[in-house]
Amino acid sequence: MGMDTSEWLRSFEATRAAADGWNPCETETLEALGRLRLDFLGRGGRLTESLKGLKGLSLDDRRKLGPRAQSLKASLAERIQRRKSELESSLDLSLEKDRVDVTLPALPPGRGRLHPLTLMALEMTDILRRMGFSVADGPLVEDDWHNFGALNIPEHHPARDMQDTFYLKDLPFLLRTHTSPVQIRAMERARPPLRVICPGGRVFRHDQVDATHSAVFHQVECLAVDRGITFADLKGTLDVFMKSLLGPSTKTRFRPSYFQFTEPSAEVDVSCLLCGGKGCPVCKLSGWLEMLGAGVVNPAVFKAVGLDPEEWSGFAFGLGVERLAIMKYRIPDIRLFYENDLRFLRQFDENIV
Ligand code: PHE
C-alpha cells in the first residue's frame, strides 16, 4: 500500500502553498516559466506526484481529495498559460524581435502637386487674362443647339455622326465634342464687346483609344467679339499668345482650313519646339507643328445668338491641351496623362520640390 492520508495531505498542502506563493510577475523569462511548469506539472513534478499518490488512498479519501488536487492542477496550468501569453506579447520581447529606432525623424508627408494638364491650362489662361480675356465655362452635357446648331453645323454634317458624338440615351442631350459651345453660351449671357477664354474643359469624342487618341480630352477655347475685329487681330493675338507660351523665338503659320463656325478659317502651326524650324523627326522634317484651329466668327453664328453681323465681328480659336503638352514635353503616349502614375506626374510641377 502507498502512503496514508495524512502523509499525502501534508505533501499536497506543501505543494499547494508553493503554487499559491508563486507570483507570476516574478517569472520574467519564458525559460524560467518553463522550468516552473516542469517543477509542478511535468513528469515527476510535485503536483503530478500528488495526483499519482491518490491511487494509494481509500476510495472515500480519493473521492474527497481527488477534485481538490485536480482543481489545483487546472488553476496552476491556467496561470502559467496566462503568464506565458503575457511574456510572449510583452514590449521587451517585440522590441527584441524587430528593433525599431523610435528616435528617427518621421518621413515628411507627401505634398500634392498640379497635374501637367492643369498646369498647361493655367499657363494659357494666365497669358490670355493678361491680354484682357475673362474666364467663361459651360456644361459638359450639352444640347444639340449649343454644340452644333448655333455653330452653323448642319443636320447632315458628319460631325454629328454617332461615331463621333456620345448621345445620352433617351434624352435630347450629348457630351460636348468641343469647347466651342462655350462661345455660344458666352454670347447668350453677355452683350459684346466680349473677350472670353474657356480654360481647359473636358470634351468627348467617340474615338478608339491609342497613343494619340483619347475619348476624353481637354480644350482651351477663346472668343473675342467687338466692332471692327479682323483676321489681323486673330493673327496678332495668336502670335503673342504662342510667343508667351512657348518662347519669344516661336513663329506662327496660318494655313487655310474650314470650320462651319468661322469664315475664313485657319489651321495654325508653330515652329517646331525641338529644332526651332530646321526640321527634325518630331516635326517630320517640316519645321512646323500643327497646333490649333481658328478663324473669324461666321455671321451665321452671330445670327443664331441674335447679334447683328453687320455691327459685330470677332475671332475664335480652340486648341487641345494634351496636344500642346505632348509637344512641349515630348510625351510619347497620351494615356500617360490619365493613368496617375506618380513617377510621371512628379516631373511637372516645378514649384514644388
Ligand atoms: N472647335 C474646333 C475643334 O474642336 C476648334 C476651333 C475652335 C476652330 C474655334 C475654330 C474656332 O476642332
Side-chain angles (χ1 to χ4, degrees):
M1 290 292 279
M3 54 180 115
D4 66 14
T5 305
S6 59
E7 216 180 314
W8 185 90
L9 262 175
R10 215 179 310 120
S11 110
F12 175 70
E13 289 304 335
T15 304
R16 182 212 289 283
D20 287 349
W22 169 57
N23 179 358
C25 300
E26 282 167 13
T27 312
E28 279 181 3
T29 65
L30 287 166
E31 287 80 357
L33 192 66
R35 261 180 270 122
L36 186 115
R37 210 189 73 84
L38 275 178
D39 191 25
F40 281 95
L41 303 171
R43 202 198 271 213
R46 294 156 73 172
L47 197 50
T48 314
E49 285 303 307
S50 280
L51 283 159
K52 266 196 227 158
L54 278 169
K55 282 196 204 111
L57 305 185
S58 70
L59 189 60
D60 261 351
D61 285 343
R62 261 189 275 163
R63 286 218 176 106
K64 202 166 69 195
L65 300 171
R68 279 165 62 180
Q70 287 296 352
S71 90
L72 178 62
K73 183 186 174 184
S75 79
L76 187 62
E78 199 233 295
R79 289 165 71 204
I80 290 172
Q81 186 53 47
R82 202 180 314 139
R83 180 61 181 159
K84 189 169 173 243
S85 318
E86 269 175 35
L87 285 174
E88 279 168 349
S89 63
S90 74
L91 183 65
D92 286 355
L93 199 75
S94 58
L95 279 181
E96 192 61 41
K97 258 197 281 175
D98 42 18
R99 283 173 194 275
V100 173
D101 185 351
V102 293
T103 65
L104 277 176
L107 290 174
R111 285 180 63 185
R113 56 186 70 215
L114 295 175
H115 192 280
L117 294 178
T118 310
L119 283 170
M120 211 69 253
L122 282 176
E123 215 178 311
M124 288 190 257
T125 309
D126 200 46
I127 295 166
L128 286 160
R129 276 164 80 135
R130 276 184 271 133
M131 294 167 80
F133 288 77
S134 55
V135 170
D137 213 344
L140 307 183
V141 177
E142 268 294 7
D143 51 55
D144 200 274
W145 170 250
H146 287 92
N147 196 78
F148 294 129
L151 288 161
N152 193 37
I153 303 176
E155 203 84 54
H156 55 265
H157 193 274
R160 291 187 177 207
D161 198 301
M162 288 293 281
Q163 295 233 309
D164 296 319
T165 309
F166 288 110
Y167 288 93
L168 269 64
K169 206 174 165 206
D170 303 329
L171 289 169
F173 298 113
L174 47 85
L175 299 183
R176 69 179 183 194
T177 58
H178 53 176
T179 43
S180 296
V182 178
Q183 292 185 33
I184 303 300
R185 293 196 175 269
M187 288 187 281
E188 284 173 342
R189 208 174 290 139
R191 304 287 303 172
L194 208 60
R195 266 178 278 180
V196 294
I197 173 191
C198 172
R202 261 176 289 170
V203 301
F204 307 83
R205 288 189 196 171
H206 202 294
D207 270 337
Q208 198 64 42
V209 176
D210 62 24
T212 54
H213 293 86
S214 167
V216 185
F217 58 102
H218 299 76
Q219 284 189 337
V220 164
E221 187 89 12
C222 197
L223 170 74
V225 181
D226 206 337
R227 292 183 181 87
I229 285 194
T230 69
F231 199 88
D233 295 303
L234 172 63
K235 286 185 89 168
T237 305
L238 273 177
D239 195 53
V240 172
F241 176 61
M242 285 304 175
K243 282 188 163 66
S244 315
L245 194 62
L246 303 170
S249 59
T250 309
K251 291 196 255 325
T252 45
R253 177 174 84 168
F254 289 67
R255 281 180 292 110
S257 184
Y258 179 76
F259 298 103
Q260 291 72 27
F261 35 96
T262 48
E263 181 57 37
S265 301
E267 207 108 38
V268 182
D269 301 338
V270 296
S271 48
C272 178
L273 305 176
L274 195 68
C275 64
K278 288 191 204 75
C280 72
V282 170
C283 58
K284 300 196 183 79
L285 301 178
S286 73
W288 297 97
L289 298 172
E290 187 186 318
M291 210 43 111
L292 55 88
V296 169
V297 179
N298 192 316
V301 175
F302 285 135
K303 279 190 203 140
V305 292
L307 291 176
D308 179 2
E310 297 298 324
E311 183 180 5
W312 302 106
S313 59
F315 68 75
F317 63 87
L319 73 162
V321 183
E322 279 84 348
R323 184 169 176 77
L324 183 65
I326 282 170
M327 299 296 183
K328 184 165 176 183
Y329 298 114
R330 300 186 54 210
I331 291 158
D333 194 316
I334 197 171
R335 287 168 288 198
L336 285 164
F337 289 121
Y338 316 118
E339 285 166 353
N340 286 334
D341 185 332
L342 287 176
R343 292 168 303 178
F344 173 73
L345 297 176
R346 278 203 184 105
Q347 303 173 87
F348 297 96
D349 198 344
E350 285 130 12
N351 296 323
I352 301 176
V353 229

